[in-house]
Amino acid sequence: MTQAMRAAVLYDVDDIRIEERPVPQIGAGEILVRTQASGICTGDVMAWYVRRKAPLVLGHEPSGIVQAVGADVESFRPGDRVFVHHHAPCFACRACERGDYVQCATWRATKIDPGGLAEFFRVPRENLRDTLHVPQNVALADASLVEPLACVLKSLRRSGARKGDRLHVIGLGVMGLMHALAAQDLGADVSGSDFLPERCAFAQSLGVRIVSPGERVGADVVICGPGSPEALRDALASVEAGGTVLMFTPLEPGVALTIDPNDLYFRDLRLIASYSCGPDDTKAALETIGRGVVTAAKLGAVVYPLEEVAQAYAALRASKVIKPIVSFDPSLFP
Protein backbone atom coordinates (compact mmCIF):
# COMPACT_ATOMS: atom_id res chain seq x y z
CA MET A 1 0.00 0.00 0.00
CA THR A 2 1.10 3.56 -0.61
CA GLN A 3 3.04 4.81 2.43
CA ALA A 4 2.68 8.52 1.62
CA MET A 5 -0.23 10.59 0.36
CA ARG A 6 -1.15 14.14 -0.59
CA ALA A 7 -3.34 16.34 1.57
CA ALA A 8 -4.61 19.94 1.41
CA VAL A 9 -3.46 21.84 4.49
CA LEU A 10 -4.91 25.23 5.42
CA TYR A 11 -2.60 27.59 7.29
CA ASP A 12 -4.76 30.65 6.61
CA VAL A 13 -7.54 31.62 4.23
CA ASP A 14 -4.97 32.71 1.65
CA ASP A 15 -2.41 30.00 2.43
CA ILE A 16 -3.45 26.49 1.42
CA ARG A 17 -0.74 24.00 0.53
CA ILE A 18 -0.61 20.49 -0.91
CA GLU A 19 1.66 18.53 1.41
CA GLU A 20 2.82 14.97 1.71
CA ARG A 21 1.57 13.12 4.74
CA PRO A 22 1.90 9.50 5.87
CA VAL A 23 -1.06 7.27 5.09
CA PRO A 24 -2.87 6.78 8.43
CA GLN A 25 -2.44 3.43 10.12
CA ILE A 26 -5.64 1.78 11.27
CA GLY A 27 -6.28 -0.28 14.38
CA ALA A 28 -8.99 -2.62 15.57
CA GLY A 29 -12.49 -1.38 14.84
CA GLU A 30 -11.27 1.17 12.29
CA ILE A 31 -11.31 1.48 8.50
CA LEU A 32 -9.14 3.26 5.94
CA VAL A 33 -10.98 5.07 3.15
CA ARG A 34 -9.58 6.12 -0.22
CA THR A 35 -11.18 9.51 -0.85
CA GLN A 36 -13.11 9.94 -4.08
CA ALA A 37 -14.79 13.32 -3.59
CA SER A 38 -14.95 15.98 -0.89
CA GLY A 39 -16.68 19.33 -0.97
CA ILE A 40 -15.30 22.56 0.43
CA CYS A 41 -17.67 23.86 3.11
CA THR A 42 -18.87 27.45 3.16
CA GLY A 43 -18.13 27.45 6.90
CA ASP A 44 -14.46 26.86 6.11
CA VAL A 45 -14.22 30.16 4.24
CA MET A 46 -15.33 32.17 7.30
CA ALA A 47 -11.95 33.50 8.35
CA TRP A 48 -12.75 33.91 12.07
CA TYR A 49 -14.11 30.36 12.21
CA VAL A 50 -11.40 28.44 10.38
CA ARG A 51 -8.41 30.35 11.79
CA ARG A 52 -9.19 28.92 15.23
CA LYS A 53 -8.44 25.45 13.84
CA ALA A 54 -5.44 26.19 11.61
CA PRO A 55 -3.28 24.54 10.57
CA LEU A 56 -5.58 21.72 9.54
CA VAL A 57 -6.22 19.30 6.71
CA LEU A 58 -9.34 20.65 5.05
CA GLY A 59 -12.45 18.68 4.26
CA HIS A 60 -15.30 17.20 6.26
CA GLU A 61 -17.66 16.23 3.44
CA PRO A 62 -15.97 13.10 2.05
CA SER A 63 -17.17 10.11 0.14
CA GLY A 64 -14.88 7.27 -0.83
CA ILE A 65 -14.08 3.59 -1.12
CA VAL A 66 -13.01 1.40 1.78
CA GLN A 67 -9.33 0.51 1.27
CA ALA A 68 -8.75 -1.62 4.36
CA VAL A 69 -10.54 -2.70 7.53
CA GLY A 70 -9.17 -3.41 10.99
CA ALA A 71 -9.93 -6.36 13.25
CA ASP A 72 -13.47 -6.58 14.60
CA VAL A 73 -14.98 -4.59 11.71
CA GLU A 74 -17.97 -6.52 10.41
CA SER A 75 -20.16 -3.92 8.68
CA PHE A 76 -17.66 -2.81 6.05
CA ARG A 77 -15.24 -4.50 3.69
CA PRO A 78 -12.67 -3.31 1.13
CA GLY A 79 -14.37 -1.97 -1.98
CA ASP A 80 -17.46 -0.65 -0.19
CA ARG A 81 -18.61 2.82 -1.26
CA VAL A 82 -19.15 5.01 1.81
CA PHE A 83 -20.04 8.39 3.19
CA VAL A 84 -18.28 9.21 6.47
CA HIS A 85 -19.41 11.85 8.94
CA HIS A 86 -16.57 13.62 10.71
CA HIS A 87 -18.49 13.55 14.01
CA ALA A 88 -20.45 10.70 15.58
CA PRO A 89 -22.28 10.44 18.91
CA CYS A 90 -22.16 7.83 21.63
CA PHE A 91 -25.93 7.10 21.50
CA ALA A 92 -25.90 6.52 25.28
CA CYS A 93 -25.73 9.94 27.01
CA ARG A 94 -28.65 12.18 27.94
CA ALA A 95 -28.06 14.42 24.90
CA CYS A 96 -28.25 11.41 22.59
CA GLU A 97 -31.37 10.11 24.32
CA ARG A 98 -32.98 13.46 23.56
CA GLY A 99 -31.77 13.36 19.94
CA ASP A 100 -29.46 16.33 20.58
CA TYR A 101 -26.51 14.51 19.04
CA VAL A 102 -24.41 17.64 18.46
CA GLN A 103 -24.37 18.25 22.22
CA CYS A 104 -22.89 14.79 22.90
CA ALA A 105 -19.34 14.96 24.25
CA THR A 106 -18.32 12.06 22.01
CA TRP A 107 -19.79 13.79 18.95
CA ARG A 108 -17.75 16.91 19.66
CA ALA A 109 -14.54 14.93 20.29
CA THR A 110 -14.66 12.65 17.24
CA LYS A 111 -13.09 13.38 13.85
CA ILE A 112 -11.65 11.70 10.80
CA ASP A 113 -7.87 11.48 10.43
CA PRO A 114 -6.46 13.70 8.98
CA GLY A 115 -9.41 15.18 7.01
CA GLY A 116 -11.48 14.74 3.87
CA LEU A 117 -9.13 16.56 1.49
CA ALA A 118 -6.50 13.84 1.66
CA GLU A 119 -6.02 10.84 -0.57
CA PHE A 120 -6.75 8.51 2.36
CA PHE A 121 -8.31 9.02 5.77
CA ARG A 122 -8.76 6.89 8.87
CA VAL A 123 -12.22 6.36 10.31
CA PRO A 124 -12.04 5.74 14.09
CA ARG A 125 -14.29 3.14 15.70
CA GLU A 126 -16.61 5.86 17.04
CA ASN A 127 -17.13 7.39 13.59
CA LEU A 128 -18.30 4.09 12.14
CA ARG A 129 -21.55 4.85 13.99
CA ASP A 130 -22.28 7.47 11.32
CA THR A 131 -20.65 5.88 8.27
CA LEU A 132 -23.14 4.93 5.58
CA HIS A 133 -23.03 2.55 2.66
CA VAL A 134 -23.61 4.51 -0.56
CA PRO A 135 -26.01 2.74 -2.95
CA GLN A 136 -24.81 2.05 -6.48
CA ASN A 137 -27.41 4.45 -7.90
CA VAL A 138 -25.80 7.38 -6.04
CA ALA A 139 -22.67 8.90 -7.59
CA LEU A 140 -19.87 9.46 -5.11
CA ALA A 141 -19.80 13.11 -6.16
CA ASP A 142 -23.40 13.38 -4.97
CA ALA A 143 -22.57 11.40 -1.82
CA SER A 144 -20.11 14.15 -0.86
CA LEU A 145 -23.21 16.35 -0.37
CA VAL A 146 -24.61 14.16 2.42
CA GLU A 147 -23.11 16.16 5.31
CA PRO A 148 -24.16 19.65 4.13
CA LEU A 149 -27.61 18.41 3.09
CA ALA A 150 -28.00 16.71 6.48
CA CYS A 151 -27.39 20.09 8.13
CA VAL A 152 -30.12 21.54 5.92
CA LEU A 153 -32.62 18.77 6.71
CA LYS A 154 -32.01 19.24 10.42
CA SER A 155 -32.56 22.97 9.97
CA LEU A 156 -35.88 22.42 8.21
CA ARG A 157 -36.95 19.89 10.83
CA ARG A 158 -36.17 22.30 13.68
CA SER A 159 -37.98 25.10 11.86
CA GLY A 160 -41.16 23.04 11.75
CA ALA A 161 -41.55 23.69 8.01
CA ARG A 162 -44.30 21.63 6.40
CA LYS A 163 -46.34 21.23 3.26
CA GLY A 164 -48.15 24.41 2.24
CA ASP A 165 -45.93 26.75 4.29
CA ARG A 166 -44.54 29.91 2.77
CA LEU A 167 -40.82 29.49 3.32
CA HIS A 168 -38.31 32.24 2.57
CA VAL A 169 -34.56 31.71 2.22
CA ILE A 170 -32.17 34.61 2.82
CA GLY A 171 -28.88 33.93 1.03
CA LEU A 172 -28.87 31.76 -2.09
CA GLY A 173 -25.44 30.19 -1.91
CA VAL A 174 -25.16 26.42 -1.85
CA MET A 175 -26.79 26.01 1.58
CA GLY A 176 -29.62 28.34 0.64
CA LEU A 177 -30.19 26.42 -2.58
CA MET A 178 -30.28 23.12 -0.72
CA HIS A 179 -32.79 24.59 1.72
CA ALA A 180 -34.92 25.66 -1.24
CA LEU A 181 -34.77 22.26 -2.96
CA ALA A 182 -35.47 20.33 0.24
CA ALA A 183 -38.32 22.68 1.21
CA GLN A 184 -39.85 22.27 -2.25
CA ASP A 185 -39.64 18.52 -1.67
CA LEU A 186 -41.65 19.04 1.53
CA GLY A 187 -44.31 20.85 -0.48
CA ALA A 188 -43.52 24.38 0.74
CA ASP A 189 -43.96 27.53 -1.37
CA VAL A 190 -40.36 28.79 -1.55
CA SER A 191 -39.07 32.31 -2.10
CA GLY A 192 -35.54 33.63 -1.73
CA SER A 193 -33.35 36.70 -1.79
CA ASP A 194 -29.68 37.46 -2.37
CA PHE A 195 -27.60 40.51 -3.28
CA LEU A 196 -25.86 38.66 -6.15
CA PRO A 197 -27.97 38.68 -9.37
CA GLU A 198 -26.30 35.52 -10.70
CA ARG A 199 -27.31 33.59 -7.59
CA CYS A 200 -30.87 34.85 -7.89
CA ALA A 201 -31.00 33.82 -11.54
CA PHE A 202 -29.73 30.32 -10.73
CA ALA A 203 -32.19 29.91 -7.84
CA GLN A 204 -35.02 31.08 -10.10
CA SER A 205 -34.09 28.33 -12.57
CA LEU A 206 -34.71 25.88 -9.72
CA GLY A 207 -38.22 27.22 -9.13
CA VAL A 208 -37.46 29.72 -6.36
CA ARG A 209 -39.54 32.90 -6.42
CA ILE A 210 -37.08 35.79 -6.12
CA VAL A 211 -37.78 38.88 -4.02
CA SER A 212 -35.57 41.87 -3.30
CA PRO A 213 -33.43 41.79 -0.13
CA GLY A 214 -35.34 43.45 2.70
CA GLU A 215 -38.71 43.13 0.96
CA ARG A 216 -41.44 42.05 3.37
CA VAL A 217 -42.46 38.55 2.43
CA GLY A 218 -44.87 37.44 5.14
CA ALA A 219 -43.39 33.96 5.32
CA ASP A 220 -44.34 31.28 7.82
CA VAL A 221 -40.69 30.20 8.05
CA VAL A 222 -37.58 32.23 7.24
CA ILE A 223 -34.20 30.54 6.89
CA CYS A 224 -31.43 33.05 7.61
CA GLY A 225 -28.28 31.86 5.86
CA PRO A 226 -25.77 34.70 6.34
CA GLY A 227 -24.14 35.01 9.75
CA SER A 228 -24.78 38.71 10.32
CA PRO A 229 -27.06 40.77 12.57
CA GLU A 230 -28.34 42.64 9.50
CA ALA A 231 -29.51 39.39 7.89
CA LEU A 232 -31.19 38.26 11.11
CA ARG A 233 -33.03 41.55 11.46
CA ASP A 234 -34.11 41.19 7.82
CA ALA A 235 -35.35 37.69 8.63
CA LEU A 236 -37.39 38.91 11.59
CA ALA A 237 -38.94 41.60 9.38
CA SER A 238 -39.82 39.01 6.73
CA VAL A 239 -41.60 36.48 8.94
CA GLU A 240 -45.35 36.49 9.49
CA ALA A 241 -46.83 36.75 12.99
CA GLY A 242 -46.71 33.33 14.61
CA GLY A 243 -43.84 32.28 12.36
CA THR A 244 -40.32 30.98 12.82
CA VAL A 245 -36.89 32.40 12.00
CA LEU A 246 -34.14 29.80 11.73
CA MET A 247 -30.57 31.01 12.36
CA PHE A 248 -28.40 28.72 10.22
CA THR A 249 -24.97 30.37 10.54
CA PRO A 250 -23.24 31.69 13.67
CA LEU A 251 -22.18 35.27 14.10
CA GLU A 252 -18.56 36.13 14.71
CA PRO A 253 -17.83 36.05 18.46
CA GLY A 254 -18.40 39.44 20.05
CA VAL A 255 -20.89 40.61 17.40
CA ALA A 256 -24.15 41.58 19.09
CA LEU A 257 -27.69 41.26 17.79
CA THR A 258 -30.01 44.00 18.97
CA ILE A 259 -33.72 43.30 18.66
CA ASP A 260 -36.91 44.50 20.32
CA PRO A 261 -38.06 41.60 22.53
CA ASN A 262 -41.61 42.95 22.42
CA ASP A 263 -41.58 42.33 18.67
CA LEU A 264 -40.91 38.66 19.38
CA TYR A 265 -43.47 38.57 22.15
CA PHE A 266 -46.48 40.33 20.64
CA ARG A 267 -45.95 38.79 17.19
CA ASP A 268 -45.55 35.39 18.86
CA LEU A 269 -42.35 34.63 16.95
CA ARG A 270 -39.87 31.79 17.35
CA LEU A 271 -36.16 32.51 16.83
CA ILE A 272 -34.22 29.25 16.87
CA ALA A 273 -30.83 28.00 15.75
CA SER A 274 -29.66 24.84 14.04
CA TYR A 275 -26.08 23.62 14.39
CA SER A 276 -24.63 20.83 12.24
CA CYS A 277 -26.39 17.43 12.09
CA GLY A 278 -26.62 13.94 13.51
CA PRO A 279 -26.95 10.35 12.27
CA ASP A 280 -30.70 10.58 11.67
CA ASP A 281 -30.07 13.58 9.41
CA THR A 282 -27.28 11.94 7.40
CA LYS A 283 -29.48 8.92 6.69
CA ALA A 284 -32.31 11.20 5.56
CA ALA A 285 -29.87 13.19 3.41
CA LEU A 286 -28.57 10.10 1.62
CA GLU A 287 -32.15 9.00 0.93
CA THR A 288 -33.01 12.47 -0.40
CA ILE A 289 -29.98 12.46 -2.68
CA GLY A 290 -30.90 8.96 -3.84
CA ARG A 291 -34.26 10.32 -5.00
CA GLY A 292 -32.50 13.01 -7.04
CA VAL A 293 -33.89 15.93 -5.02
CA VAL A 294 -30.37 17.32 -4.49
CA THR A 295 -27.41 16.45 -6.73
CA ALA A 296 -24.09 18.05 -7.60
CA ALA A 297 -25.39 18.79 -11.10
CA LYS A 298 -28.55 20.50 -9.80
CA LEU A 299 -26.42 22.75 -7.61
CA GLY A 300 -24.09 23.67 -10.46
CA ALA A 301 -21.13 22.23 -8.57
CA VAL A 302 -17.69 22.83 -10.07
CA VAL A 303 -15.16 20.01 -9.90
CA TYR A 304 -11.48 20.65 -9.16
CA PRO A 305 -8.51 18.31 -8.91
CA LEU A 306 -6.62 18.31 -5.62
CA GLU A 307 -3.83 20.35 -7.22
CA GLU A 308 -6.30 23.24 -7.65
CA VAL A 309 -7.76 23.20 -4.15
CA ALA A 310 -6.41 26.68 -3.36
CA GLN A 311 -8.12 28.05 -6.46
CA ALA A 312 -11.35 26.25 -5.53
CA TYR A 313 -11.23 27.70 -2.02
CA ALA A 314 -10.56 31.21 -3.32
CA ALA A 315 -13.40 30.94 -5.85
CA LEU A 316 -15.86 29.94 -3.12
CA ARG A 317 -14.63 32.69 -0.83
CA ALA A 318 -15.13 35.24 -3.63
CA SER A 319 -18.61 33.86 -4.43
CA LYS A 320 -17.49 32.92 -7.95
CA VAL A 321 -18.74 29.34 -7.61
CA ILE A 322 -21.72 27.92 -5.75
CA LYS A 323 -20.15 24.64 -4.69
CA PRO A 324 -16.60 23.39 -5.31
CA ILE A 325 -16.04 19.64 -5.07
CA VAL A 326 -12.50 18.29 -5.07
CA SER A 327 -12.18 15.13 -7.14
CA PHE A 328 -9.67 12.38 -6.45
CA ASP A 329 -10.97 10.36 -9.40
CA PRO A 330 -11.88 12.48 -12.47
CA SER A 331 -13.68 9.53 -14.05
CA LEU A 332 -16.46 9.99 -11.49
CA PHE A 333 -17.53 13.26 -13.04
CA PRO A 334 -18.98 14.16 -16.46
Side-chain angles (χ1 to χ4, degrees), residues 12-79:
D12 205 338
V13 292
D14 56 358
D15 185 5
I16 299 173
R17 311 172 198 175
I18 305 298
E19 296 183 348
E20 191 171 275
R21 294 285 182 96
V23 173
Q25 299 297 304
I26 61 171
E30 300 182 335
I31 66 174
L32 183 69
V33 175
R34 175 161 47 93
T35 313
Q36 297 295 282
S38 186
I40 299 177
C41 175
T42 49
D44 284 340
V45 299
M46 293 191 299
W48 69 265
Y49 184 75
V50 76
R51 280 173 176 154
R52 303 179 307 170
K53 309 175 183 180
L56 79 157
V57 173
L58 278 170
H60 58 261
E61 302 176 358
S63 64
I65 297 173
V66 176
Q67 182 77 13
V69 301
D72 303 327
V73 174
E74 299 179 355
S75 301
F76 300 93
R77 64 183 65 183

Side-chain angles (χ1 to χ4, degrees), residues 95-317:
C96 287
E97 289 173 355
R98 290 167 51 85
D100 294 329
Y101 297 113
V102 301
Q103 305 304 325
C104 168
T106 299
W107 188 95
R108 290 174 175 261
T110 49
K111 60 182 180 179
I112 56 177
D113 172 30
L117 285 177
E119 291 180 300
F120 296 90
F121 61 89
R122 178 178 65 90
V123 183
R125 183 190 296 270
E126 293 81 3
N127 288 73
L128 286 183
R129 300 184 183 121
D130 199 1
T131 296
L132 305 178
H133 289 276
V134 176
Q136 289 296 326
N137 70 307
V138 175
L140 288 173
D142 294 335
S144 73
L145 298 171
V146 167
E147 191 273 345
L149 179 59
C151 296
V152 165
L153 295 183
K154 177 187 173 184
S155 164
L156 289 174
R157 175 166 51 82
R158 286 179 64 82
S159 77
R162 56 192 174 183
K163 182 178 181 179
D165 277 354
R166 294 165 295 173
L167 184 139
H168 182 64
V169 181
I170 297 177
L172 296 171
V174 65
M175 304 308 285
L177 292 176
M178 283 198 283
H179 270 97
L181 290 171
Q184 288 171 347
D185 189 52
L186 285 175
D189 174 21
V190 181
S191 62
S193 61
D194 197 289
F195 287 105
L196 296 179
E198 58 272 25
R199 284 186 175 180
C200 292
F202 190 82
Q204 192 169 33
S205 75
L206 296 176
V208 178
R209 180 168 48 86
I210 302 301
V211 300
S212 300
E215 181 179 334
R216 181 169 177 79
V217 181
D220 301 300
V221 176
V222 178
I223 306 296
C224 184
S228 74
E230 294 80 10
L232 278 167
R233 284 193 288 268
D234 184 10
L236 288 166
S238 298
V239 71
E240 192 64 80
T244 300
V245 171
L246 189 290
M247 176 183 171
F248 189 71
T249 304
L251 276 64
E252 184 172 356
V255 174
L257 171 66
T258 303
I259 58 175
D260 181 355
N262 282 342
D263 184 48
L264 296 180
Y265 186 84
F266 288 109
R267 292 176 62 209
D268 212 15
L269 301 182
R270 291 174 291 274
L271 174 59
I272 61 176
S274 185
Y275 166 51
S276 194
C277 60
D280 48 352
D281 306 304
T282 56
K283 290 176 183 176
L286 183 56
E287 185 274 333
T288 302
I289 290 168
R291 291 190 289 109
V293 175
V294 172
T295 65
K298 267 191 178 181
L299 295 173
V302 179
V303 178
Y304 295 83
L306 181 63
E307 293 78 12
E308 296 179 11
V309 65
Q311 295 95 311
Y313 185 94
L316 180 62
R317 193 165 176 239

